[in-house]
Amino acid sequence: MILTQFVMVAIMTMTPVHMDHHGHGTAASGLVIAVHVGAMYLPSPLTGWLVDRYGRIAVVAASGLTLLAAGILAAAAPGDSVALLALALALLGLGWNFGLVSGTAIITDAVPLATRAKTQGMVDVSIAVAGATGGLASGVVVAAAGYTVLALAGGVLSLLLLPAIAAVARSR
């Protein structure tokens, strides 16, 4: 959940800036961000069903792969293509959703009821710190290397979810 938040906020934060640099106005950026926010939250009931049906680990893997696809598409999308940027950010929101819902289910399964609220609170604080760090780092990366590098780095970074879930799966 922490990694998905970091990647999502980093790419999302700089997308309107990237769009502005390519001549898009506030309406186009607003549309892309609206699609993104919808993809973050609207699939939640379906994601919950997927977590129950296919398992937490499978949905975490889907999160990593979806975030990778989002990063690649955001990096490859021409700056003048609102549609491709909207699709990239829809994938970014969906990947985040997969990570948040499956991660929450993993915490619920792994933590005893007596300490669950405290643990979830600590995780929530960590998620907030990761988001703030992603937002700050994204500006530095874009200033130094550009939006394409940021989007690709975010996608590649999301692949760290795969060895992490492999380790969790082996420990069960």
Side-chain angles (χ1 to χ4, degrees):
M1 292 186 306
I2 293 164
L3 180 62
T4 61
Q5 180 77 3
F6 178 85
V7 169
M8 184 276 293
V9 170
I11 296 173
M12 176 203 63
T13 299
M14 286 295 112
T15 299
V17 174
H18 173 70
M19 292 178 71
D20 181 67
H21 287 151
H22 288 278
H24 297 290
T26 305
S29 293
L31 173 66
V32 168
I33 295 301
V35 167
H36 168 69
V37 171
M40 287 175 66
Y41 295 104
L42 292 175
S44 294
L46 176 61
T47 303
W49 178 82
L50 291 171
V51 166
D52 288 342
R53 174 75 170 90
Y54 296 103
R56 284 101 171 103
I57 301 303
V59 179
V60 171
S63 173
L65 295 173
T66 304
L67 290 169
L68 173 63
I72 291 170
L73 183 57
D80 63 348
S81 178
V82 173
L84 287 177
L85 288 169
L87 178 58
L89 263 66
L91 289 171
L92 187 68
L94 182 62
W96 175 86
N97 178 278
F98 287 165
L100 186 74
V101 173
S102 60
T104 300
I106 289 169
I107 289 171
T108 300
D109 293 345
V111 178
L113 184 59
T115 59
R116 194 173 295 154
K118 181 179 179 179
T119 301
Q120 186 64 54
M122 289 173 32
V123 170
D124 288 347
V125 168
S126 299
I127 290 169
V129 169
T133 304
L136 288 169
S138 67
V140 173
V141 171
V142 168
Y147 180 80
T148 300
V149 169
L150 172 71
L152 287 175
V156 170
L157 189 59
S158 68
L159 290 178
L160 291 175
L161 291 170
L162 301 180
I165 61 169
V168 169
R170 278 193 301 272
S171 70
R172 289 185 172 183

